[in-house]
Amino acid sequence: MPKYELVLLKNMAQPGYTGSLEAYRQAGGYAALEKVLKERTPADIIEEVKKSGLRGRGGAGFPTGLKWSFIPKDHKGLKYLCCNADESEPGTYKDRQLIERDPHQMLEGLAICCYAIGAERAYIYIRGEFDLGAEVLENAIQEAYRANLFGKDLFGSGVNVDVSVHRGAGAYICGEETALLESIEGKRGKPRIKPPFPAIHGLYQEPTVINNVETLANLPHIINRGAEWFASIGIGKSTGTRVFSVSGHVKRPGNYEVPMGVTLREMIYDIAGGMRGDKPLKAFIPGGASAPMMKPEHLDIPLDFESIKEAGSMLGSGGITVMEEETCIVWAAMNLMEFFHHESCGQCTPCREGSGWVLQILHRIEQGHGREGDIEQLENLCRRIEGKTVCAFGEAEVGPILSSIKHFRAEYEQHIREKCCPFHPNATLSMVH
Amino acid sequence: MKYKALSKEAVARIEAELPKYPDRRSLTLPALRIAQEDLGYVSEPAMIDIAEILELTPIQVYDVATFYSQYNMKPVGTYLVQVCKTLSCALVGAASIVEHLQKKLGIGIGETTEDGFFTLKVVECLASCGSGPMMQINDRYYEQLTPEKVDQILSDLKEQGKSALATGPFMLPALQGQK
């Protein structure tokens, strides 16, 4: 039995739960949608979500109610909701489970959000590789349309909501909200310059809200149980539960839903079963590959937005990657830089070129050809990338590099001094693709 | 209208998507996916067809097709084997799975077996980080791989066209007694 009350994972934790519309309704599903359509005004819902303290679960942690309130009330044209199901942040695999195991939970949240912001059209942007997830969603949407939970005049309220699945095609950057919009519009996924923000000029230049799968999945629960209940879970400005994805060298990797604010120690050593083979912990990433690495000395820091930020990293997408003592940190940083270099959209020169240069230096250090001054060069390059790009990708890609140098400088120096990797002396290394 | 590469069915499928969007250009990604399902890859004549259907220039379609990693710009094997190499999978042995596949199939990364069955690729994170090492073959994920499991999957696919080892609706940790 889990130690904490499950909210988002509650249905799927019941043996035999299928995620069908019938199963979801038996568990009380779509009652929140009916309630808001019959009894609540859109302004009311936005107020309730603001009071709950719900923050975006995709990575940035922006207050959801506040985001919605930026949509102009007097807008004459169409408004849109885009659900971000482009889950691509390395270390993160929670949305996949939320979609495949309980699709109606997020669909109900999506309908509630549409009503609150006055959007009659929603797109679910799901990453292209999620074939199964897309099938599950398409089936769930068809079920919901047949039951008139989507379409015209929902619950006799006169409110219309249409939803379609839009499948990506393999591009990490499309998880960035404006790149996502470009991608739906049939273009390369290149982030837009902000402002204007999507709430004013979003999809097809109309006011648009972009919310993550897990964010939307929380909405029915906030409506059913109230903002006070939601705000009572978690700590400080990080309210509610969070589904953390744990991976790497732990005994029981998995998606674990806990109140925000549990410590990393509890997450790694208790909930995820501790280190595989009981080896010592060397480093971990607390919030997806973009989040700076942390060390065992950070184990007692609570998993909430503020505490992790204060400790120099970020809660991000909630993907916790755990590395044991024998992991080479230069190799780990190089692996992540290969990812970022591959995924850079190419729009901004510092990111497009810089990621390649950083990677080149990491490759040579790991292969035993590092030179005096390479570490300083890495730091220098990183500083010329972060803050100098259209989107946050620039900060994301230098996070693992700068943090690994900060925490493990001696290991970099050893690679250069000994002219080989102490962990992989005969390394063939990277698998180029 | 005469189309050079796409089948009638593919054209009909693309046109059936039109009501979902306020403009035709938004169909670029769906159309490229349909074309790939139709032909196995995205050929230049297929892109010209798509441009005609969507009232775009061919370069607008080409521009998009070459940006996204899932579009095959040249033919691939019947089964496209894509192994994730990003950190979480790498920490639990992705490299040994790639090595095993190379030996087993007798091909290098990016190559196709002589019989045309398998193409091997190494890709970035597929959001399967807790259940690595993993690979995607066509439209299904295969997770918590071992060399023995890989052998079984390859022979299943070759002999039956599918494998029971594919992952169903995802859940980790799995419920006891439930797949």
Side-chain angles (χ1 to χ4, degrees), chain A residues 10 71 124 157 228 313-314:
Chain A
K10 185 183 167 196
I71 296 286
I124 301 171
S157 62
E228 286 80 18
S313 188
M314 113 187 147

Side-chain angles (χ1 to χ4, degrees), chain A residues 122-250:
Chain A
Y123 294 100
I124 301 171
Y125 188 96
I126 186 167
R127 67 175 294 176
E129 295 87 347
F130 282 177
D131 291 273
L132 185 61
E135 282 169 34
V136 168
L137 270 178
E138 294 278 14
N139 288 336
I141 288 170
Q142 279 179 23
E143 277 183 310
Y145 264 98
R146 280 197 298 271
N148 198 25
L149 297 162
F150 279 94
K152 305 267 175 267
D153 192 24
L154 309 183
F155 292 101
S157 62
V159 173
N160 310 323
V161 177
D162 280 305
V163 61
S164 316
V165 174
H166 186 94
R167 303 187 60 185
Y172 168 77
I173 195 62
C174 291
E176 198 279 343
E177 57 180 18
T178 57
L180 183 151
L181 302 179
E182 292 284 301
S183 187
I184 295 179
E185 292 180 8
K187 303 170 196 160
R188 290 184 158 226
K190 289 198 277 195
R192 297 176 183 170
I193 293 171
K194 293 180 267 190
F197 290 94
I200 312 299
H201 295 286
L203 189 62
Y204 308 115
Q205 294 301 311
E206 303 286 1
T208 303
V209 161
I210 299 113
N211 278 156
N212 167 260
V213 170
E214 188 185 348
T215 311
L216 294 176
N218 270 297
L219 298 173
H221 305 285
I222 292 173
I223 298 299
N224 285 329
R225 299 172 78 173
E228 286 80 18
W229 161 79
F230 191 86
S232 73
I233 305 168
I235 53 171
K237 288 184 190 161
S238 300
T239 59
T241 65
R242 188 89 198 250
V243 183
F244 288 99
S245 306
V246 189
S247 67
H249 296 140
V250 291

Side-chain angles (χ1 to χ4, degrees), chain A residues 287-330:
Chain A
S290 310
M293 289 183 194
M294 299 175 92
K295 288 176 83 171
E297 67 195 58
H298 300 118
L299 274 173
D300 292 307
I301 291 170
L303 278 158
D304 65 82
F305 290 108
E306 279 71 29
S307 305
I308 299 284
K309 192 174 173 197
E310 222 168 277
S313 188
M314 113 187 147
L315 194 60
S317 62
I320 302 172
T321 306
V322 179
M323 291 172 264
E324 69 190 18
E325 191 57 59
E326 288 153 29
T327 312
C328 170
I329 289 295
V330 177

